[in-house]
Amino acid sequence: MTQAAITPPITSPLADLAQDVGVGVSYYSTEGELIHVARETVLKVLAALDIDLGDNPSDADIERARNDWADKQWSRLLPPVVVARRGEFKKVLVHVPHGSAVSVSVRLASGAEWPCAQVHHLVAPRQVGDRLMGEAGFSIPEDLPLGWHRLRAVNGDRVAECDLAITPNRLSTADKYVDKPAHGVMAQLYSVRSRRSWGIGDFATLGDLAQVSAQHAGSDFILINPLHAAEPLPPVEDSPYLPTTRRYVNPIYARPELIDEFGYLDKDEADEARELAASFHALNHSAEEIDRNPIYAAKLRVLRAVHKVPLSEARQAEFDRWLEGEGRGIHDYAAWCTERELSQRKAARAETGTGKPATGLELVPPLGNHEDLESLREEITHFHLWVQWILDQQLGQAQAAAQQAGMRIGIMADLAVGVHPGGSDAENLAEWLAPAISVGAPPDGFNQRGQDWSQPPWNPHKLAEAGYKPWRDMLRTVLRHAGGIRVDHVLGMFRLWVMPRMESPINGTYLYFDHEAMVGILTLEAELAGALVVGEDLGTFEPWVQDYLASRGVMGTSILWFESQGDQPKPPSAYRALCLSSVTTHDLPPTAGYLAGEHIKLRQRLGLLLSDVDAEDKRDFEWIRKVLIAAKNEGCFAGTAAADIDEANLTRDNLPPIEALVEGLHRFLDRTPSALKCAALVDMVGDRRTQNQPGTTHDQYPNWCIPLTNSEGEAVVVEELSSYPAFSKE
């Protein structure tokens, strides 16, 4: 018996209220089955959005809540924010006492004033409390410049203002790549080391990787994992997709020796710092799991020493300007880091006093008996402000190195879908989030139990109340040193699968967003930054979503293994042009591992498969066989050791050489019209190990801790990449 058969549909008035607020009461599964959401789930999600009806509300209670929701909208002179497209008609609704006069105008960022014309809009007035309210429509001038402006309404002695975003009707930054496609490399930065790294990839390594990729492989971009910050002290979260903040950067990616002030350390401090760095150099040649904690602790120790070196007048002025540009956000983040650090230092002191090791390893200083706690707090806060400035500079240098190497795009940043529930954003942005629910994914063929990512989603209504400022501030920071941005789970700007916190993903539903505003602001900030946008549009979605994103100039994502037409692989000519195409993704094994069925073996070992493992393997390889045959029929294996694939007897155990298959599959992608084609760095060196198994924790699998290795399982450093055949323009 299916879930749809045992869960009755939700009827009015609860269904109407849920629709008003943007909470789904039903959805279609990946198999196309209509699933009804449990009444209890809908009530809990509504409560998380501040519409708490209790456990068993009456229809009268629900109708009252629905009326209150509508009254709130009708009580406003202006909406909280208006997002319009340049060159298109946009009607703004204003609410005034019925029959009273109102005027609306726009004040541009330049200071100029533009009047808004009233347009025909006939609706019945509404009684709100003791007032009869009317609704009028005004049009936004269609030729306003792109950017953020202010909308002003005057109704007698009542005056209201709100932000007005004029967004591009269509983002233009990808057009040049549709005409002349670009090739790139995708890599997990932490996994890519150089001989001078501290056992983990960093921004200096990123610049080196860009140089090698541009010079030897002709790459135009490097797509990397999210760089978002983790905890301020070890132990830290391994997953780059579960950060403490999405706006600021993880200090583990700093290269302390390259900071200007490092050269002014006294000799003993400089020697100690270099010895500390050298102690981690051997890890660059190790294939063992990356342990971030000792590396992070060591880097923080050196960073603190460099931080004590006074800045020159010019450097101080530069730092001050940077802080001013960041506004309140950087100070809130640094303050959160400070309180978290003080708390961990107190714990370290307590543990040290009992003979236990300090929480943050031996390199984290205990709190000690500080007489002036406020002075210490200021020192720590300044340190975290300074570290983010240093990181901003080093990331900017990596992007400059990529562009100077000839890359047309350079670094493509990755924006995670959410944040850690106990992190900085969860606290500092709490008024715009919904912490009582958690983001994840519904059950599907890849994970039949569904996924709980534990991240609190935006509260779409509170985000709008804030004029989307937290969203735009974050985008501006991430785009500052990037030629493009990949938006993880871009479908989350339309709807997110959410569940009551600590409940099963099966007990979830969709939370809907104003996608016109979310996508519009994304395209505006990208257009202003000159950056392209790639949306990771995989998974369960409504068919019109991809068309909408394409109409806004947002590129999609195509993974060769997932592209089909009916029961056959999609031919190259049928791929989208406005798209980033690749053979694999970080949530799958490298191609060598995928062909060997590692993804099935791993899920079976971890208990994530609900179906028979042999049947799953047979079904999976049958699809792989079809893809390989399609590539052969396109002539993609010609001249390689895979040219004579025996279609009839093809099994996992008698595959042609993996290198030949990988080469042919990338030739297949080269025949598509996709504007961006991306090769995984792991495939370019023959790596086999999975970076991430969705839906698992570190005690099950070392997600996000696998260093780059070759087909023999040997660690690979950046200086060796040019010796691999894939790093050749020929």
Side-chain angles (χ1 to χ4, degrees):
M1 184 175 291
T2 66
Q3 182 178 342
I6 62 176
T7 304
I10 294 174
T11 58
S12 297
L14 182 57
D16 296 331
L17 174 61
Q19 182 177 21
D20 291 346
V21 178
V23 177
V25 298
S26 64
Y27 64 96
Y28 285 94
S29 70
T30 53
E31 290 77 29
E33 181 184 17
L34 178 64
I35 305 294
H36 300 297
V37 178
R39 178 183 175 91
E40 180 183 10
T41 294
V42 171
L43 290 172
K44 288 181 178 180
V45 174
L46 286 172
L49 301 178
D50 298 327
I51 304 176
D52 193 347
L53 298 168
D55 295 333
N56 189 28
S58 66
D59 284 355
D61 293 333
I62 297 170
E63 286 285 8
R64 191 177 305 111
R66 191 177 182 218
N67 283 329
D68 289 346
W69 180 262
D71 286 350
K72 182 180 178 182
Q73 320 309 317
W74 277 75
S75 298
R76 290 181 173 277
L77 181 51
L78 280 175
V81 63
V82 175
V83 180
R85 300 197 204 187
R86 191 172 195 273
E88 288 207 351
F89 174 75
K90 174 70 176 183
K91 181 165 65 175
V92 176
L93 301 180
V94 300
H95 298 96
V96 297
H98 185 53
S100 63
V102 60
S103 63
V104 179
S105 61
V106 176
R107 186 173 70 251
L108 302 184
S110 65
E113 296 275 351
W114 288 55
C116 297
Q118 189 166 357
V119 296
H120 180 72
H121 182 75
L122 187 61
V123 296
R126 179 183 179 88
Q127 190 70 39
V128 179
D130 59 357
R131 278 189 170 185
L132 185 65
M133 300 295 289
E135 186 175 77
F138 286 80
S139 65
I140 300 296
E142 295 180 16
D143 53 350
L144 294 179
L146 296 179
W148 287 91
H149 313 294
R150 292 288 285 175
L151 194 63
R152 188 171 191 263
V154 179
N155 170 231
D157 58 357
R158 295 175 66 210
V159 178
E161 288 192 359
C162 72
D163 283 341
L164 167 65
I166 301 298
T167 70
N169 187 38
R170 184 179 184 280
L171 181 63
S172 67
T173 50
D175 292 347
K176 67 182 79 172
Y177 304 109
V178 173
D179 296 333
K180 187 179 179 182
H183 289 75
V185 175
M186 57 180 170
Q188 300 295 308
L189 179 57
Y190 57 84
S191 73
V192 188
R193 287 87 59 91
S194 71
R195 292 179 181 133
R196 296 178 179 176
S197 298
W198 293 47
I200 194 168
D202 56 33
F203 289 147
T205 313
L206 178 57
D208 293 340
L209 176 60
Q211 176 65 43
V212 173
S213 300
Q215 180 180 351
H216 295 282
S219 301
D220 278 313
F221 64 91
I222 300 286
L223 170 59
I224 53 175
N225 57 276
L227 303 175
H228 311 318
E231 291 78 4
L233 291 179
V236 294
E237 169 63 46
D238 292 320
S239 173
Y241 291 94
L242 190 58
T244 185
T245 175
R246 291 191 290 174
R247 183 172 178 183
Y248 295 108
V249 178
N250 195 331
I252 204 167
Y253 293 120
R255 182 75 68 85
E257 308 96 301
L258 299 183
I259 302 171
D260 288 4
E261 286 70 34
F262 185 90
Y264 295 97
L265 290 173
D266 66 43
K267 185 178 183 305
D268 288 343
E269 286 182 318
D271 288 345
E272 181 185 1
R274 291 191 178 94
E275 289 174 8
L276 198 54
S279 70
F280 289 97
H281 288 170
L283 295 178
N284 299 323
H285 305 279
S286 170
E288 297 299 314
E289 176 185 335
I290 295 171
D291 184 356
R292 286 170 171 79
N293 291 327
I295 298 170
Y296 190 34
K299 284 195 176 185
L300 286 175
R301 180 169 180 170
V302 176
L303 288 170
R304 290 183 195 281
V306 179
H307 172 243
K308 293 177 181 178
V309 177
L311 298 176
S312 68
E313 291 291 333
R315 290 272 287 169
Q316 184 64 54
E318 186 180 353
F319 180 34
D320 292 342
R321 285 192 297 270
W322 183 83
L323 286 175
E324 184 178 1
E326 288 301 295
R328 172 185 165 186
I330 187 62
H331 293 280
D332 286 348
Y333 169 68
W336 180 88
C337 289
T338 299
E339 295 310 312
R340 180 60 63 94
E341 181 170 333
L342 286 171
S343 176
Q344 285 186 252
R345 285 195 186 194
K346 289 177 184 177
R349 179 177 65 182
E351 291 177 355
T352 301
T354 60
K356 297 178 181 178
T359 302
L361 308 177
E362 72 280 1
L363 297 173
V364 177
L367 181 61
N369 296 313
H370 240 279
E371 294 182 3
D372 188 354
L373 185 59
E374 201 54 43
S375 175
L376 176 62
R377 179 176 280 108
E378 290 179 6
E379 177 187 331
I380 296 173
T381 300
H382 190 273
F383 170 73
H384 288 290
L385 294 171
W386 172 85
V387 165
Q388 287 302 315
W389 174 58
I390 294 299
L391 291 165
D392 186 75
Q393 289 186 320
Q394 293 197 349
L395 179 55
Q397 290 163 3
Q399 171 66 348
Q403 293 173 325
Q404 290 164 10
M407 287 189 165
R408 289 191 283 163
I409 299 168
I411 295 168
M412 187 177 294
D414 197 347
L415 181 67
V417 68
V419 295
H420 194 290
S424 167
D425 280 0
E427 180 174 313
N428 290 330
L429 305 181
E431 60 186 296
W432 304 301
L433 298 174
I437 51 180
S438 176
V439 175
D444 57 25
F446 192 67
N447 196 318
Q448 297 162 0
R449 301 179 186 275
Q451 299 176 49
D452 179 2
W453 303 334
S454 79
Q455 301 161 341
W458 295 116
N459 181 322
H461 311 294
K462 289 185 175 180
L463 189 59
E465 292 281 350
Y468 293 95
K469 193 172 188 303
W471 174 236
R472 51 174 143 146
D473 285 346
M474 177 181 62
L475 290 173
R476 288 173 183 174
T477 302
V478 174
L479 286 167
R480 183 183 295 135
H481 300 303
I485 182 174
R486 172 191 177 271
V487 181
D488 188 45
H489 195 64
V490 72
L491 309 176
M493 287 191 282
F494 297 78
R495 65 179 188 178
L496 281 172
W497 184 259
V498 298
M499 66 221 72
R501 187 160 292 280
M502 304 307 293
E503 292 193 17
S504 168
I506 295 174
N507 299 330
T509 187
Y510 282 106
L511 173 63
Y512 289 83
F513 289 78
D514 182 350
H515 63 271
E516 182 72 14
M518 296 290 286
V519 176
I521 293 168
L522 171 62
T523 61
L524 171 60
E525 298 301 334
E527 189 75 45
L528 295 176
L532 54 80
V533 176
V534 174
E536 187 263 298
D537 54 356
L538 307 175
T540 305
F541 58 89
E542 295 159 319
W544 62 269
V545 169
Q546 287 186 332
D547 294 335
Y548 174 85
L549 289 170
S551 75
R552 299 305 303 270
V554 175
M555 307 179 78
T557 300
S558 289
I559 308 300
L560 181 143
W561 301 119
F562 300 160
E563 292 293 317
S564 64
Q565 280 188 344
D567 64 349
Q568 295 297 318
K570 184 179 289 185
S573 60
Y575 275 61
R576 295 172 287 174
L578 199 66
C579 186
L580 181 150
S581 293
S582 64
V583 173
T584 188
T585 176
H586 58 251
D587 286 334
L588 294 176
T591 301
Y594 190 80
L595 291 170
E598 292 295 337
H599 52 302
I600 294 174
K601 297 172 186 175
L602 179 58
R603 283 186 289 157
Q604 195 272 336
R605 289 199 305 269
L606 298 177
L608 299 178
L609 276 182
L610 300 183
S611 55
D612 178 74
V613 63
D614 292 332
E616 184 76 12
D617 185 76
K618 181 179 180 181
R619 180 198 61 78
D620 181 80
F621 187 74
E622 174 57 24
W623 179 252
I624 289 175
R625 190 183 70 82
K626 287 183 178 182
V627 171
L628 296 179
I629 292 171
K632 177 187 177 183
N633 292 340
E634 287 284 338
C636 298
F637 296 128
T640 75
D644 299 321
I645 285 180
D646 183 357
E647 300 178 17
N649 299 309
L650 194 63
T651 68
R652 288 200 197 273
D653 297 327
N654 68 349
L655 288 170
I658 296 299
E659 297 82 359
L661 295 177
V662 170
E663 181 180 350
L665 293 174
H666 282 92
R667 288 182 184 176
F668 185 89
L669 289 184
D670 281 342
R671 300 188 181 198
T672 72
S674 301
L676 303 182
K677 283 103 169 177
C678 197
L681 183 59
V682 288
D683 283 351
M684 298 174 80
V685 299
D687 206 344
R688 296 178 63 93
R689 292 186 293 178
T690 302
Q691 282 291 330
N692 175 54
Q693 175 56 52
T696 62
T697 55
H698 193 272
D699 59 332
Q700 296 172 290
Y701 185 79
N703 297 312
W704 316 113
C705 296
I706 306 298
L708 184 68
T709 58
N710 60 21
S711 59
E712 303 300 319
E714 302 163 335
V716 178
V717 293
V718 170
E719 291 87 346
E720 299 167 347
L721 290 177
S722 61
S723 66
Y724 286 82
F727 280 86
S728 172
K729 297 179 184 178
E730 301 301 325

